[in-house]
Amino acid sequence: MTVLALAVEGRGLVDPREPAVHADDEAVLRGRAAFETVRVYGGIPFKLESHLVRLAGSCERIGIEPPDADACRELASLALGHAGEPDVSLRLYRTAGREQAGAPQLFVLVSAIPPHLEELRARGIKVVSLLGVRAEAPWLLGGVKSTSYAVNMAAEAEARSRGADDAVFVTDDGLVLEGPVTNLWWRRGSTLFTPSLDLGILAGVTRDTVLELAPEHGFDVEQGRFPLSELARADEAFTSSSVRELLPVVELDGKAIPRGDAAATLQAALREKAQRLR
Ligand SMILES: Cc1ncc(COP(=O)(O)O)c(C=O)c1O
């Protein structure tokens, strides 16, 4: 994503071409940092407060002092003011700090929204199932948004190498978890299904928004532990995440999944809600 602005705690606005972290920051050395990706609509970060709560939770799980929420809001508005574009992605990073000196660092990045997303939304995405980790053991950091995302990125690359757009993690006993950077949904009749948080998946902010919007649009929601075969026989499926929003899934492991109206209806409802909050 093209970086439009960078703001660093204690330094203010920094030229994005300049370094913002030390080479011996534990974020670099061991991936010990937490982050959030927030969609900004018309200059207003959508559900920033929910993201700040999740960021604090992720920090606690990896033993980093959570950042001050006001400092996050101030850096965000500084960077957004400088970016000069209203519809962007805002990422907040809390790193563990330098290996020996140890003070946690905070910085935010504002980036352009990847231009191909609307094309993907129009054509729908192909996904392949890959073995993931059911992280019910807290030390496996299920549900934590840390920068140790090399496995998630490798899963995306594996999906692409198999001719798909994205991956769906499943447990070794075949339960659907989530995508590398998305939550997963499917519909049968007027019921939407999504894996439950006790599986150790990330509590997506967009997932929460879909949970709020679904009943207003005539959908029941069931959260639970579902085998991949349930997704395979869905009437429709889609992913949810802050920047990608809702993307229809049109193929799973080489087999077509029909398209339906729920993804488009809820995508429109999400945009409308973001519009109302502006
Ligand atoms: C593993 C994982 N699941 C789900 C999501 C979706 O979360 P959100 O809707 O808060 O963007 C993300 C977001 O990056 C993620 O990394």
Side-chain angles (χ1 to χ4, degrees), residues 51 54 145 149 178-183 202 204-206 240-242:
H51 285 281
R54 190 171 67 187
K145 207 163 159 63
Y149 258 34
E178 63 189 330
V181 295
T182 61
N183 290 112
L202 192 78
V205 173
T206 322
S240 70
S241 74
S242 295

Side-chain angles (χ1 to χ4, degrees), residues 52-261:
L52 295 182
V53 168
R54 190 171 67 187
L55 180 63
S58 295
C59 286
E60 274 161 14
R61 291 277 303 279
I62 53 180
I64 303 176
E65 189 193 330
D68 179 64
D70 278 337
C72 293
R73 291 185 199 105
E74 278 163 29
L75 284 182
S77 87
L78 190 62
L80 285 170
H82 187 71
E85 275 192 38
D87 294 299
V88 287
S89 149
L90 169 75
R91 286 178 289 176
L92 298 98
Y93 288 85
R94 177 67 158 175
T95 74
R98 303 183 72 178
E99 195 172 23
Q100 300 297 331
Q105 305 293 303
L106 176 67
F107 64 91
V108 311
L109 285 171
V110 177
S111 308
I113 303 289
H116 65 287
L117 286 179
E118 292 316 313
E119 182 200 320
L120 282 184
R121 211 180 318 285
R123 80 157 161 82
I125 60 169
K126 299 175 182 181
V127 300
V128 290
S129 58
L130 299 177
L131 194 66
V133 179
R134 181 165 60 184
E136 284 160 321
W139 55 89
L140 295 179
L141 298 180
V144 173
K145 207 163 159 63
S146 84
T147 56
S148 300
Y149 258 34
V151 167
N152 303 48
M153 299 302 99
E156 283 191 347
E158 175 66 22
R160 280 194 295 272
S161 78
R162 296 190 195 181
D165 300 295
D166 207 352
V168 171
F169 288 132
V170 293
T171 63
D172 51 8
D173 46 357
L175 299 177
V176 186
L177 291 171
E178 63 189 330
V181 295
T182 61
N183 290 112
L184 211 75
W185 298 82
W186 60 96
R187 178 182 64 78
R188 278 190 69 81
S190 61
T191 304
L192 296 175
F193 298 87
T194 196
S196 51
L197 299 183
D198 63 355
L199 286 158
I201 60 170
L202 192 78
V205 173
T206 322
R207 180 184 183 278
D208 253 2
T209 306
V210 174
L211 288 173
E212 284 163 35
L213 294 172
E216 296 168 21
H217 292 273
F219 301 107
D220 302 320
V221 181
E222 272 190 37
Q223 304 179 59
R225 296 172 169 240
F226 305 109
L228 189 65
S229 53
E230 287 292 304
L231 170 58
R233 67 186 194 101
D235 292 335
E236 158 177 21
F238 57 92
T239 62
S240 70
S241 74
S242 295
V243 168
R244 298 179 188 186
E245 302 170 294
L246 273 49
L247 289 180
V249 173
V250 295
E251 194 180 294
L252 167 67
D253 294 330
K255 288 209 189 112
I257 295 183
R259 290 200 71 152
D261 289 340

Side-chain angles (χ1 to χ4, degrees), residues 38-58:
V38 185
R39 176 63 152 90
V40 179
Y41 298 92
I44 310 291
F46 185 62
K47 294 199 169 176
L48 179 61
E49 298 311 308
S50 304
H51 285 281
L52 295 182
V53 168
R54 190 171 67 187
L55 180 63
S58 295

